[in-house]
């Protein structure tokens, strides 16, 4: 792969709006990605393997529990810093950002917000340091966009819960030490349970043959009469709103992460267009190529403004779920379109692993589907503005 000479575009001087802390967090994450992700990521994506050796480094840059208070091992940063870290990591690879956002928003977030003090003390420091990796099980073979229909269930056996069911398409599952899983009790109410690797009847087979997110490990979670201790219930919140609350946090991170991918593709395409000569001129001199590049920087700038404002709203605890959906949907589609256009600017070189673009493009096919599909987020906006749900 080419050496990483990434230069981030900032067409509207948005850096002026960032604090000293934001800039420091960004430069730390950016340097780390340059040194520890860019040189290895293509090889790991090609062999479809997650590079486990980076876990400690991810913890060190504050990617695990960025906004979780320091007393629980988190980095104690604000929401904009969390977004910036996701942006920088996803600039390297969406699969690596997946591991970080699952750990932070889908595992540490519910333990911090819905867990007991004992659960926070037991799990959060281990997750923040990367000693333990977590995963989040909501999607099932028969229930993806409609998690309310889930079939995984647990029964109160007096001194423990008995858990049965299966989850599919779960990031980090094959090597996770702990799974936050969502299941229905005997009354059909959704609850979160903490299932640890090693519990009898719990297995995590890996899902192979992915064309996307190849450097991220994806798997199933199978529960065959798993005895879950009662103290592993997340008792602070139940109902579908509990897992969806976690998704709000993860979707917010993805809205920033997608900008990282778009910036990387734009930067690569701009540099290539200025260097590649055809018909006696750099291809950047042709109007058709300029149109592509000009539209890219326009869309990136709009997405940056959307993410920054959403970050301010998140910091003030004012961001609505529908606002988060709009940003996730817009920014991921923006990044995917830019990846496709950038790939064309590179001609045949665009399909080569020498450059990051094709990997980003393939990764985004997962990002546009997980955490709520592109169409589901459109329906969330539709329901929000009309007051009428069109899901059913
Ligand atoms: P609905 O009736 O709308 O809502 C049920 C209850 O949930 C509340 N709620 C939310 N709460 C917090 N945040 C949100 N975003 C919320 N949206 C809804 C709502 O207020 C209600 O509460 P209550 O107290 O009144 O009961 O539910 P619905 O069944 O009609 O479904 C709505 C829909 C379709 C939007 C929702 O089911 C949905 O978002 N579906 C998409 C599923 C999804 O996103 N799955 C993601 C799985 S995890 C994943 O993909 C991780 S990838 C990780 C990686 O690698 O990065
Ligand atoms: P379906 O729900 O079957 O949807 C199929 C199509 O129908 C989509 O285009 C959808 O938009 C459309 N559709 C569905 N309902 C409607 C409707 N009402 N109106 C209009 N169109 C509709 N899940 C987890 O729980 N944890 C994870 O860690 C996780 N990681 C993932 C990693 C990867 C690489 C991938 C690809 C997925 C992951 N997922 C995870 C699952 C992901 O969240 C689901 O794939 C997603 O929510 C969509 O569900 P589905 O694939 O079952 O599609």
């Amino acid at each position: 792969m080419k050496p990483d000479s990434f230069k981030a575009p900032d067409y509207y001087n948005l850096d002026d709006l960032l604090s000293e802390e934001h800039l420091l967090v960004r430069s730390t994450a950016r340097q780390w990605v340059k040194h520890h992700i860019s040189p290895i990521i293509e090889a790991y994506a090609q062999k479809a393997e997650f590079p486990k050796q980076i876990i400690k480094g991810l913890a060190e840059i504050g990617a695990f529990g960025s906004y979780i208070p320091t007393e629980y091992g988190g980095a104690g940063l604000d929401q904009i810093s969390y977004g910036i870290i996701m942006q920088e990591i996803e600039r390297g690879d969406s699969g690596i950002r997946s591991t970080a956002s699952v750990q932070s928003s889908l595992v540490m977030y519910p333990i911090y917000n819905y867990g007991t003090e004992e659960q926070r003390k037991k799990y959060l420091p281990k997750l923040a340091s990367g000693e333990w990796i977590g995963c989040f099980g909501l999607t099932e073979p028969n229930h993806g966009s409609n998690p309310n229909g889930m079939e995984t269930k647990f029964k109160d056996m007096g001194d423990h819960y008995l858990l049965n069911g299966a989850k599919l398409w779960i990031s980090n599952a094959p090597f996770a030490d702990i799974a936050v899983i969502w299941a229905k009790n005997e009354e059909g109410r959704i609850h979160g349970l903490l299932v640890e690797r090693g519990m009898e009847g719990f297995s995590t087979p890996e899902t192979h043959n992915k064309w996307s997110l190849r450097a991220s490990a994806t798997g199933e979670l199978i529960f065959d009469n798993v005895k879950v201790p009662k103290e592993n219930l997340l008792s602070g919140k139940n109902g579908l709103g509990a897992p969806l609350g976690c998704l709000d946090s993860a979707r917010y991170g993805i809205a920033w992460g997608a900008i990282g991918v778009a910036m990387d593709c734009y930067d690569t395409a701009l540099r290539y267009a200025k260097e590649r000569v055809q018909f006696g001129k750099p291809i950047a001199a042709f109007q058709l190529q300029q149109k592509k590049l000009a539209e890219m920087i326009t869309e990136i700038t709009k997405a940056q403004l959307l993410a920054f404002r959403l970050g301010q709203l998140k910091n003030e605890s004012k961001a609505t779920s529908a606002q988060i959906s709009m940003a996730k949907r817009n920014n991921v589609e923006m990044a995917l379109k830019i990846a496709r256009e950038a790939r064309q600017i590179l001609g045949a070189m665009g399909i080569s692993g020498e450059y990051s673009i094709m990997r980003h493009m393939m990764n985004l096919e997962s990002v546009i589907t997980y955490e709520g599909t592109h169409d589901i987020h459109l329906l969330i906006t539709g329901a929000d503005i009309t007051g009428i749900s069109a899901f059913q």
Side-chain angles (χ1 to χ4, degrees):
M1 203 177 152
K2 293 256 174 214
D4 184 353
S5 42
F6 174 68
K7 259 188 82 206
D10 181 19
Y11 205 71
Y12 260 47
N13 302 345
L14 276 165
D15 279 6
D16 294 351
L17 302 179
L18 299 179
S19 67
E20 287 295 318
E21 184 172 72
H22 295 145
L23 294 170
L24 182 64
V25 161
R26 190 180 65 188
S27 111
T28 307
R30 189 166 290 171
Q31 287 311 314
W32 184 81
V33 167
K34 274 199 178 188
H35 291 113
H36 299 281
I37 300 297
S38 303
I40 60 150
I41 193 61
E42 180 63 25
Y44 278 84
Q46 291 283 0
K47 60 183 173 182
E49 191 181 317
F50 174 76
K52 286 195 182 145
Q53 71 276 19
I54 65 166
I55 285 176
K56 199 166 167 283
L58 280 169
E60 282 166 5
I61 62 164
F64 294 158
S66 316
Y67 54 79
I68 298 289
T70 49
E71 63 179 297
Y72 299 106
L77 297 167
D78 75 347
Q79 290 291 332
I80 292 178
S81 293
Y82 171 56
I84 287 171
I85 294 173
M86 295 302 114
Q87 171 186 285
E88 294 304 315
I89 297 174
E90 192 146 6
R91 210 272 301 169
D93 189 79
S94 302
I96 308 302
R97 195 271 306 135
S98 270
T99 290
S101 56
V102 167
Q103 184 91 339
S104 293
S105 288
L106 300 183
V107 178
M108 296 177 76
Y109 176 98
I111 294 174
Y112 178 69
N113 285 288
Y114 314 148
T116 61
E117 192 54 25
E118 288 71 34
Q119 289 168 340
R120 289 173 170 188
K121 286 193 177 131
K122 178 175 176 188
Y123 297 108
L124 292 176
K126 283 196 173 95
L127 291 161
S129 67
E131 185 185 338
W132 277 28
I133 290 293
C135 68
F136 176 91
L138 183 65
T139 305
E140 298 189 352
N142 296 323
H143 305 279
S145 298
N146 179 23
N148 216 9
M150 72 174 64
E151 293 161 51
T152 299
K153 54 182 194 269
F154 67 97
K155 216 169 161 178
D156 191 337
M157 305 300 281
D159 61 343
H160 65 270
Y161 298 118
L162 198 63
L163 176 67
N164 278 288
K167 302 285 175 182
L168 191 63
W169 291 113
I170 307 304
S171 302
N172 298 351
F175 58 83
D177 302 285
I178 180 178
V180 171
I181 71 106
W182 301 93
K184 284 181 178 166
N185 67 8
E186 286 149 279
E187 287 78 50
R189 187 82 180 157
I190 293 172
H191 288 263
L193 292 169
L194 303 174
V195 179
E196 291 181 29
R197 184 169 297 282
M199 287 181 177
E200 211 180 317
F202 175 43
S203 57
T204 61
E206 183 156 3
T207 302
H208 295 288
N209 294 332
K210 291 179 299 168
W211 283 107
S212 171
L213 235 62
R214 288 171 61 81
S216 162
T218 313
E220 295 171 55
L221 303 174
I222 296 171
F223 315 107
D224 180 11
N225 284 319
V226 181
K227 285 183 179 173
V228 181
K230 284 202 147 170
E231 65 263 24
N232 284 26
L233 181 79
L234 289 175
S235 52
K237 187 162 174 161
N238 58 53
L240 186 59
L244 289 177
C246 310
L247 292 180
D248 276 353
S249 176
R251 290 165 176 175
Y252 164 73
I254 292 173
W256 280 88
I259 297 171
V261 177
M263 293 197 304
D264 198 50
C265 292
Y266 165 77
D267 179 56
T268 304
L270 179 62
R271 192 167 308 119
Y272 189 89
K274 289 202 269 191
E275 286 168 5
R276 174 73 175 166
V277 174
Q278 288 294 288
F279 298 96
K281 283 183 190 170
I283 59 169
F286 299 119
Q287 285 184 358
L288 283 175
Q289 306 311 317
Q290 289 195 2
K291 177 175 188 287
K292 286 188 173 71
L293 292 162
E295 283 176 352
M296 283 182 199
I297 191 61
T298 308
E299 291 308 315
I300 288 170
T301 304
K302 283 151 69 177
Q304 287 171 327
L305 289 162
L306 198 59
F308 183 79
R309 176 62 188 144
L310 190 62
Q312 288 180 319
L313 291 171
K314 283 279 284 177
N315 275 344
E316 295 163 13
S317 302
K318 284 187 192 158
T320 67
S321 301
Q323 286 169 335
I324 294 168
S325 280
M326 181 184 279
K328 189 265 182 185
R329 181 175 185 275
N330 180 79
N331 289 10
V332 176
E333 186 185 41
M334 171 282 300
L336 189 50
K337 282 184 174 162
I338 285 178
R340 287 174 182 153
E341 293 286 73
R343 202 217 60 69
Q344 291 200 59
I345 290 178
L346 268 70
M349 289 312 290
I351 71 153
S352 164
E354 283 292 297
Y355 294 91
S356 53
I357 296 177
M358 189 79 180
R359 177 170 44 80
H360 283 319
M361 194 173 111
M362 309 270 273
N363 283 342
L364 287 168
E365 293 293 342
S366 288
V367 182
I368 204 163
T369 292
Y370 67 33
E371 301 274 5
T373 68
H374 194 60
D375 286 341
I376 288 295
H377 286 296
L378 178 125
L379 293 177
I380 290 172
T381 305
D384 192 49
I385 57 177
T386 63
I388 307 164
S389 164
F391 292 110
Q392 286 160 30

